[in-house]
Amino acid sequence: GHSFMRNGGEDRLKKGIEDSSDASLAFVVVTGIKSEDEPCSDRLYLARRKLIASAKRPMIVMPAASDWTGCRNSNGRTSAAERLNRIRELYFPEAESLGRRTIEVTRQSSNEKFRSYAENAYWVTGTVLYATVNLPANNNHYRPEAGRNSEFEDRLVANRFWLNRMFALARGKKLDAVVLFSEGNIQPVAEEKGLRALLRRDRTTQDGFDAPRRQVAQLARKFKGKVLLVDTDAPGKGAEAAIAWEGNVGHVSVGARALEVRVSKDRERLFELGKANPAR
């Protein structure tokens, strides 16, 4: 099995690492290195990297919106893009996970055209391809102000290429499933009458997840296996995390919990959720 957890500060991270130290876990995916109210400093980034690297299990780190999108410099201007690039330098210089035991991963930065996007990584365990996709929870970091969306637009292109690549690999290797980890909930099984319809009526609001949602749906239709999307959105008030399926596409929101996902040999019931542990 493997574990997926959201980080919201040092205490929660320590608790999450402790909860996910089980030797049966093949790897752990950690979303976020700091909370919104913590500083965007190299010192903090490095301290959290050291903590994650001390974990027993292989740790796959994925940036969260709180790590970089709200960062500002001493003049009060946004330093989001610069801070994201700094996180990339500190956390993803090698083609492997963090943790005392590591696993090899392939990063999108190995492609000359997308050298910046080291946070997007994939690895294959058994007959399943796992991949991280940088889709921040704050509407994919879409900025409504005119001329402020170069980061969003460039990352949209990189993510489009990345998703196409993941499904091409899965088809070529005849794998049973693709699992995509993101912070943001792209609502892959959302009904038209839900959020998407509301956003269409409000033309002043652009849905930052519209493009990846459409792309995943299109790619999943051409893929014979299962597609599972895992994100850190809240599963609903009082609700336990559960996988919702529509055709071969499954979706689960973890929220602020460490959740174990087990992969079975039964192709029809490939994914089973373990008990979610509160990441206090």
Side-chain angles (χ1 to χ4, degrees):
H2 56 275
S3 180
F4 182 74
M5 65 182 189
R6 166 88 192 211
N7 175 30
E10 188 163 337
D11 290 341
R12 181 177 289 173
L13 179 59
K14 285 179 178 177
K15 180 69 168 61
I17 290 173
E18 181 184 317
D19 287 343
S20 57
S21 62
D22 191 325
S24 67
L25 296 175
F27 58 84
V28 177
V29 178
V30 182
T31 306
I33 57 177
K34 75 175 194 69
S35 60
E36 283 186 24
D37 57 357
E38 291 181 304
C40 302
S41 65
D42 281 12
R43 183 178 179 180
L44 186 138
Y45 291 162
L46 284 164
R48 293 292 155 80
R49 188 191 189 282
K50 184 178 180 181
L51 179 57
I52 294 168
S54 71
K56 292 180 180 179
R57 301 291 96 205
M59 308 293 279
I60 311 289
V61 180
M62 186 165 56
S66 58
D67 296 334
W68 61 280
T69 63
C71 295
R72 297 189 175 276
N73 60 24
S74 57
N75 296 323
R77 294 178 180 175
T78 180
S79 60
E82 185 273 331
R83 288 288 82 190
L84 176 57
N85 284 329
R86 187 60 176 144
I87 290 168
R88 288 163 169 163
E89 291 171 3
L90 296 175
Y91 279 78
F92 315 119
E94 308 294 340
E96 61 182 21
S97 67
L98 293 176
R100 280 184 259 169
R101 186 168 70 82
T102 62
I103 59 172
E104 288 187 13
V105 301
T106 300
R107 301 196 180 280
Q108 188 171 8
S109 53
S110 64
N111 183 306
E112 191 70 23
K113 291 182 180 179
F114 300 102
R115 291 178 67 181
S116 297
Y117 296 88
E119 70 275 20
N120 287 348
Y122 85 85
W123 60 103
V124 177
T125 301
T127 60
V128 180
L129 182 146
Y130 300 90
T132 55
V133 190
N134 189 356
L135 296 164
N138 58 349
N139 198 28
N140 207 7
H141 194 223
Y142 173 79
R143 303 287 298 278
E145 304 95 334
R148 295 286 182 88
N149 264 314
S150 60
E151 189 285 322
F152 167 83
E153 289 162 1
D154 290 348
R155 186 165 39 78
L156 211 61
V157 172
N159 285 340
R160 184 184 304 126
F161 178 92
W162 187 240
L163 288 169
N164 282 333
R165 176 77 176 133
M166 295 305 95
F167 279 86
L169 282 167
R171 288 195 304 268
K173 294 175 181 289
K174 294 182 170 57
L175 299 178
D176 290 337
V178 172
V179 178
L180 302 174
F181 297 101
S182 67
E183 184 199 17
N185 176 5
I186 70 169
Q187 295 199 308
V189 297
E191 293 184 15
E192 193 69 24
K193 64 185 179 183
L195 175 70
R196 292 161 69 180
L198 288 171
L199 288 171
R200 280 203 177 87
R201 285 199 292 270
D202 181 5
R203 294 188 179 184
T204 62
T205 303
Q206 177 169 328
D207 180 0
F209 298 123
D210 187 60
R213 179 190 302 113
R214 290 170 182 269
Q215 185 185 5
V216 167
Q218 184 180 35
L219 290 167
R221 281 195 290 269
K222 298 176 183 177
F223 182 58
K224 292 181 180 179
K226 292 186 180 297
V227 181
L228 177 63
L229 290 93
V230 188
D231 60 62
T232 66
D233 200 7
K237 192 173 182 180
E240 287 293 329
I243 301 175
W245 290 97
E246 187 173 292
N248 67 330
V249 179
H251 168 243
V252 59
S253 289
V254 174
R257 291 173 175 265
L259 182 72
E260 182 181 347
V261 182
R262 292 187 293 268
V263 181
S264 75
K265 294 180 180 179
D266 182 351
R267 292 187 66 175
E268 291 305 309
R269 296 188 61 192
L270 196 60
F271 301 107
E272 296 177 353
L273 301 185
K275 187 176 180 182
N277 298 314
R280 299 182 185 89

